[in-house]
Amino acid sequence: MKRIAILALQGAFAEHAAMLNRLGAETHYVRSLSDWLMPKDALVIPGGESTSQLTLLRALDLLQPVRTAILDGLPVFGTCAGLILLARDEDGTPRDGLATLDVDVHRNAYGRQIASFHTIGAVDGVGQDVPMTFIRAPYVNAVRSADVHVLATHEGRITAVRQNRQLATAFHPELTDDTRIHEYFLSFL
Ligand code: GLN
């Protein structure tokens, strides 16, 4: 059985756990270094508020161990705030988050919470009709490495990318009934 660690400091972690459990994966929440040290085949970083998650990652001494594990090849799936935490740059400036994913992000790109929206679009390798929920979402301004593959765009902006075993979406597949993006992620393991 695949064991997925889900960062559960803040945000929509329970929805990822529910979806992964539906797909037959075992999940455990990471809220401390001892949780982090449990055996795992992959990590999920949920949506929520990237600034809060980053503050907590640092305070709990999780930032460096998580970063090292991702750089060593641990598969990771970041949604929304998770994408921001993984991103190397933000609007042309290096970020001091995990910075393992060679992209430049633009935060809160679609305006305020009220400007959240739902659409259906194509995700390369997943399907042509994938439901996408955007909540104060970022988009990707630019990819910074030839290893980064653009999987989805919305109105010309990059909204999903893959770099080797790192997957990141600006939208929230865990808030829909469609399990295909999580299945796609589990196929990396
Ligand atoms: N706006 C949030 C941030 O900057 C991300 C929103 C989300 O994860 N739904 O962290």
Side-chain angles (χ1 to χ4, degrees):
M1 191 185 277
K2 290 169 180 175
R3 299 156 304 183
I4 317 297
I6 303 178
L7 190 67
L9 303 175
Q10 188 271 338
F13 48 84
E15 291 80 357
H16 277 290
M19 191 158 266
L20 289 163
N21 294 157
R22 256 173 81 188
L23 293 173
E26 196 176 89
T27 53
H28 71 269
Y29 290 148
V30 175
R31 295 190 169 112
S32 67
L33 203 49
S34 57
D35 296 337
W36 173 248
L37 294 173
M38 288 171 65
K40 58 198 161 296
D41 301 304
L43 170 67
V44 168
I45 306 179
E49 189 48 59
S50 56
T51 309
S52 311
Q53 290 191 39
L54 184 54
T55 303
L56 290 165
L57 278 169
R58 276 211 197 86
L60 295 164
D61 291 324
L62 282 166
L63 189 65
Q64 281 315 318
V66 171
R67 179 165 203 274
T68 302
I70 296 169
L71 291 174
D72 286 346
L74 182 74
V76 62
F77 177 21
T79 52
C80 200
L83 159 62
I84 296 165
L85 288 168
L86 291 169
R88 198 182 81 189
D89 300 325
E90 177 177 343
D91 299 324
T93 304
R95 284 185 51 84
D96 56 2
L98 293 163
T100 54
L101 183 67
D102 293 326
V103 300
D104 183 300
V105 284
H106 184 60
R107 291 179 63 193
N108 302 325
Y110 299 97
R112 299 166 65 95
Q113 194 87 12
I114 195 130
S116 299
F117 64 98
H118 185 80
T119 187
I120 291 177
V123 180
D124 195 27
V126 176
Q128 293 300 308
D129 56 348
V130 179
M132 301 172 180
T133 301
F134 291 82
I135 304 170
R136 284 188 74 216
Y139 59 62
V140 173
N141 284 317
V143 304
R144 298 287 190 222
S145 151
D147 292 340
V148 179
H149 298 282
V150 173
L151 302 181
T153 59
H154 174 70
E155 294 179 347
R157 307 293 195 178
I158 299 167
T159 55
V161 293
R162 174 177 182 176
Q163 179 175 4
N164 303 315
R165 286 190 277 186
Q166 299 185 68
L167 174 67
T169 61
F171 51 86
H172 289 265
E174 79 286 6
L175 300 182
T176 71
D177 274 340
D178 194 305
T179 56
R180 284 177 291 173
I181 295 203
H182 287 77
E183 288 171 56
Y184 176 69
F185 176 59
L186 291 175
S187 78
F188 298 4
L189 276 62

